[in-house]
Amino acid sequence: MRVSILALAIAACFAVPAAAQTEAADATQSPPLAPRTADSGLPLTAAQEATGLPYLDLRLKVDPDTKTISGDARYTIDALAPLDTFEVDLDPRFTVTSVTVDGAAAQWEADAGRLLIPLGKALSTGDSAKVAIQWNGSPYVAKRPPWEGGFMWDKTEDGSPWIATAIQMNGCDVFWPCIDYPTKEIARLDSAITVPEGLVAAGNGTFAGSETNDGWTTWKWSARSPNTYAVALNIGPYDVYEDTYQSRFGNSIPLYFWYLPGNGEQAKTLMEEMKTYLDFFEDMIGPYPFGDEKVGLVETPHLGMEHQTINAYGAKFKPTPLGYDTLAQHEFSHEWFANQLTNSQPNDMWLHEGLGTYMQPLFQQWRDGEAAYLAAIVSQRASLINKSPVVPAEPISTSFYLDEDAGWGRDIYSKGSQIAHTLRGLIGDEAFFSSIRRLVYGRVDPRPGNFVPQFADTNDFQRIASEQSGEDLGWFFDAYLRQAALPTLIEDRDGNKLSLTWQTEGGTPFPMPIEVQVGDKTMVADMSSGSTVIDLGSDDAHYVIDPMAKVLRYSPYIARWQGWMVEQQEKAKKAKENAKTAD
């Protein structure tokens, strides 16, 4: 999603912008979302499972004065199995004014956030139909964008409308009728966004022209296979910076940055950085997945989001001590890990966020060397919570992300990154990066034009990594992803003998080898049985376990610090409550 925590020291760089905080206050005027609309990734119905989505012509009119929208969604649907009903999700605050099936007026039933549209006939597998839905109303206003998302009706410093959407947690049904599930991408989305003349609507995919009539301008875009939550509105009095990147794969990629007037030099500087990110990703992972469309950035009143080919950027060009824009780089990572590779169910969101977060330390290694990489890796470890498995056993939806007690919505970032780091150290660079390429592109030799969007889960990644490494890695994925607690290494020294034993939460096998430095020599301890005994050579020999921080494991030092932090927070909370009572 929006940002990775590389170090506690730079966490302040990622605070919610003032504009977003203002919008949160306005959100109190927006009635709460219906339970179904508030959640994304709920189980598909049989009819939704059976529905293919080859095409959508999506037309939206956005009125800043009334803070309303009206829309016309013209679907072509395919029957993946016998089908007699088209079921889509849509926020019930909207009024549906018309539905047609193959051009004829049709009935529909609104059911607490879902529209059920009888097709008037039974489609056999492979048959198609055209369904059009018209709706209008006042969309939900985001409470705490982008975390708790929706619409943002903001204004620039000169009072011009500045509008954006961010809907990862709530889903696409917050403002358009869709099947709100990761695998239900639309093969081709043509969008037409109508806004008051003088405003620009920067959209997903390739620009297809604009036209102005009676004080309104319609901006047209065409995108292939957009991730459903990555379809976004970005509207403002934008200027645009244009550039081109010559890919190492031989293709030329257009670059665009829609920025607010006055920010041209900063936009140009950041776009130069984007070229460096492109070179890094194409070198380490593979070709930019949407090179036939564009690399796009747009300034937004919220912090950021990985909207496909039009990444939202709201970090206000703040410098960081790392020497690059960590927000822009993280969101850009999601073009690979979210938009090209999409998790096939919400439980596997770490494939987006964890692998995307790992791209920041990896970028520092690529650009600055080993010391920068290890510093970034070590700095992530203090933020891990380890209360919930990274991949929960039971089906979840995106609402689990916001559960502070569970902590899952935080661990899928840095813990996911740490797991990637440890896996790389275990199986080596060749097997690791070939596994990542297969996961992202469906093949180890991606080139522009020879791959399609991928859907995958953790089991797929386990299978791929096992095949590429030639090892059964079930124990690794079980210990790190399907259990909450980190593996613990028990140390017991008796004179010159050091006993090491792994313990896991579920008592599952964990044959993770680990380095032990004794004096100026480093050995690899064979832990294939889960334990070993090492001869240190003398009773007073000094040793260091895992001197290069290759293995993610439980740290009593971090646990103690985290406990202390909780105590300080509780004390501060009580002091605030007492002060309030005294007043």
Side-chain angles (χ1 to χ4, degrees), residues 38-304:
D39 221 343
S40 184
L42 293 171
L44 295 168
T45 66
Q48 290 177 327
E49 285 274 16
T51 301
L53 301 170
Y55 181 71
L56 171 61
D57 177 1
L58 180 62
R59 306 176 186 190
L60 292 164
K61 186 174 184 178
V62 181
D63 189 339
D65 289 339
T66 61
K67 296 185 178 179
T68 60
I69 66 171
S70 57
D72 185 353
R74 303 181 183 189
Y75 275 100
T76 299
I77 64 172
D78 288 341
L80 307 178
L83 182 68
D84 62 8
T85 303
F86 182 41
E87 295 186 14
V88 292
D89 302 301
L90 180 65
D91 189 345
R93 77 189 58 235
F94 292 116
T95 299
V96 177
T97 58
S98 173
V99 174
T100 63
V101 176
D102 290 330
Q107 299 299 311
W108 71 90
E109 179 184 346
D111 180 23
R114 180 179 293 157
L115 291 181
L116 295 86
I117 303 170
L119 298 175
K121 58 185 176 181
L123 300 183
S124 299
T125 302
D127 288 348
S128 297
K130 295 183 183 298
V131 182
I133 305 166
Q134 289 78 48
W135 75 102
N136 60 57
S138 299
Y140 179 72
V141 176
K143 286 185 176 180
R144 192 170 61 99
W147 295 273
E148 294 180 69
F151 254 73
M152 285 146 275
W153 302 97
D154 217 302
K155 290 186 181 296
T156 62
E157 289 184 2
D158 67 358
S160 298
W162 191 19
I163 303 161
T165 60
I167 56 169
Q168 184 183 32
M169 293 303 111
N170 310 118
C172 47
D173 52 336
V174 168
F175 72 98
W176 57 282
C178 62
I179 300 180
D180 184 17
Y181 199 79
T183 58
K184 289 301 177 178
E185 292 182 355
I186 298 155
R188 171 60 59 180
L189 170 67
D190 287 340
S191 59
I193 306 163
T194 300
V195 297
E197 186 177 357
L199 298 180
V200 176
N204 303 92
T206 303
F207 181 54
S210 66
E211 55 187 43
T212 299
N213 293 292
D214 300 324
W216 296 85
T217 302
T218 299
W219 298 84
K220 299 177 183 180
W221 301 89
S222 184
R224 57 176 174 81
S225 303
N227 184 338
T228 54
Y229 76 77
V231 174
L233 300 181
N234 304 281
I235 299 164
Y238 293 121
D239 291 329
V240 62
Y241 176 79
E242 302 180 33
D243 206 342
T244 302
Y245 173 78
Q246 190 59 44
S247 166
R248 61 176 56 230
F249 291 94
N251 56 316
S252 183
I253 303 172
L255 282 65
Y256 298 89
F257 193 159
W258 285 268
Y259 61 89
L260 294 182
N263 292 340
E265 285 303 313
Q266 294 166 303
K268 181 180 179 180
T269 298
L270 183 52
M271 192 54 79
E272 286 299 315
E273 276 191 34
M274 292 294 292
K275 294 179 182 179
T276 305
Y277 307 155
L278 262 167
D279 192 30
F280 158 72
F281 280 109
E282 292 205 323
D283 187 18
M284 299 301 295
I285 307 302
Y288 175 62
F290 309 102
D292 57 334
E293 296 185 347
K294 69 176 184 297
V295 169
L297 282 176
V298 59
E299 267 199 274
T300 56
H302 64 93
L303 185 57

Side-chain angles (χ1 to χ4, degrees), residues 401-435:
Y401 180 97
L402 298 173
D403 187 328
E404 289 292 333
D405 291 333
W408 177 80
R410 288 175 56 185
D411 271 358
I412 58 175
Y413 289 82
S414 289
K415 189 172 182 179
S417 171
Q418 294 287 306
I419 291 167
H421 163 72
T422 302
L423 178 62
R424 179 186 174 193
L426 176 66
I427 66 177
D429 278 9
E430 182 177 353
F432 177 78
F433 286 108
S434 64
S435 297

